[in-house]
Amino acid sequence: KNHNNFNQNFTLLTMFSSLNRLLILSLLTHGLCFAPLTMKSDLKSQNKSIDLFKKTVASCLIGVSLLGCSEVLNADGGTGKFALPPIDKSDKNRCSFKSSSMGQANAARDKLYDLRQCDMREQSAQGNDLSGVLASEANFEKVDFKEAQLSKAYARNSKFDGADFTNGIVDRVSFDGSSLKGAIFKNTVLTSTSFTNADVEGVDFTEAALGGFDLKNLCKNESLKGTNPTTGANTRESLGCP
């Protein structure tokens, strides 16, 4: 049995190494996949390690399919052209908040997390790990995202009006073309997050963490004006823009 488990591990490793080397390096660099494989003396622990490795390989393969074998997909909008997989509309449970147990730094899952074109208005995702979610062309108006993790989310051309991201981790997210009127990002991590052509009127950015380059770009957004209807914070002042 131990010999069979070794063969299973070897087969998986062989399959994994057969992927394009450059793509794998890019995936590892961007944190899309991380596959710890531990060797234990007992058979039960070995089987658990094999199951974890299989799930992680599946997550990596999903990442490769998104890349299209041509260029690396940056969730923050750095990639110009790429093809997303078709929406599985046969999945009746697709439009629901599901927290990941694999850790937000990786944005890794054993199944593609797809909320595209979903109507999630006024629901709660408080404290959930939604990292790596595809959330474009969807409605997230007044959703409670407090203390949620959305690392590497793809959230273009969606509605986040009145959504509350207080104390959340929203790094490397693309909000390009989305409406975020009256949203709240108080004390939220927004490093490497893109708001290109997004409507940020009335957004509260009080004590949000942004890099200097991100802040400079956001301050150029023409919709950066008004006051937040919930907190009363002045939008430009909350971001520290002149």
Side-chain angles (χ1 to χ4, degrees), residues 21-92:
R21 291 183 179 180
L22 180 59
L23 284 173
I24 295 302
L25 178 60
S26 298
L27 284 168
L28 290 172
T29 301
H30 285 76
L32 283 174
C33 52
F34 174 70
L37 183 61
T38 58
M39 294 299 177
K40 303 291 185 179
S41 58
D42 57 288
L43 181 60
K44 184 177 180 180
S45 295
Q46 285 185 351
N47 288 334
K48 287 183 178 180
S49 295
I50 291 170
D51 290 340
L52 175 59
F53 193 76
K54 286 179 179 177
K55 289 182 178 181
T56 310
V57 168
S59 175
C60 292
L61 292 175
I62 289 171
V64 171
S65 69
L66 288 175
L67 296 177
C69 297
S70 59
E71 58 180 331
V72 176
L73 169 60
N74 292 327
D76 62 2
T79 301
K81 298 179 181 179
F82 54 89
L84 293 173
I87 299 174
D88 182 9
K89 295 186 177 181
S90 66
D91 184 357
K92 303 303 181 183

Side-chain angles (χ1 to χ4, degrees), residues 87-212:
I87 299 174
D88 182 9
K89 295 186 177 181
S90 66
D91 184 357
K92 303 303 181 183
N93 298 316
R94 183 177 65 85
C95 294
S96 61
F97 288 122
K98 304 179 184 71
S99 186
S100 171
S101 60
M102 299 185 75
Q104 67 89 13
N106 299 323
R109 294 172 178 266
D110 57 359
K111 182 180 179 181
L112 186 68
Y113 188 26
D114 192 356
L115 293 180
R116 286 175 294 170
Q117 300 182 14
C118 289
D119 187 350
M120 310 296 287
R121 283 176 294 180
E122 301 183 11
Q123 297 189 37
S124 176
Q126 184 174 357
N128 283 8
D129 185 347
L130 308 175
S131 301
V133 63
L134 297 181
S136 57
E137 301 177 353
N139 192 338
F140 298 95
E141 291 182 87
K142 297 183 179 179
V143 168
D144 182 358
F145 288 111
K146 289 191 291 290
E147 300 182 357
Q149 300 170 345
L150 287 89
S151 294
K152 301 181 182 178
Y154 183 79
R156 293 183 180 182
N157 303 312
S158 289
K159 297 189 70 174
F160 290 91
D161 299 348
D164 191 345
F165 297 89
T166 299
N167 296 327
I169 298 184
V170 192
D171 64 310
R172 296 163 291 175
V173 174
S174 175
F175 286 117
D176 295 0
S178 289
S179 176
L180 296 111
K181 290 182 178 179
I184 302 173
F185 287 99
K186 291 184 67 175
N187 196 40
T188 303
V189 176
L190 290 171
T191 51
S192 298
T193 288
S194 173
F195 293 90
T196 303
N197 297 322
D199 189 340
V200 292
E201 182 176 354
V203 175
D204 185 352
F205 290 102
T206 301
E207 297 183 357
L210 296 91

Side-chain angles (χ1 to χ4, degrees), residues 3-22:
H3 184 266
N4 289 336
N5 286 329
F6 176 81
N7 287 338
Q8 287 181 341
N9 277 329
F10 183 80
T11 300
L12 288 170
L13 285 169
T14 302
M15 178 185 70
F16 191 62
S17 63
S18 66
L19 297 174
N20 183 281
R21 291 183 179 180
L22 180 59

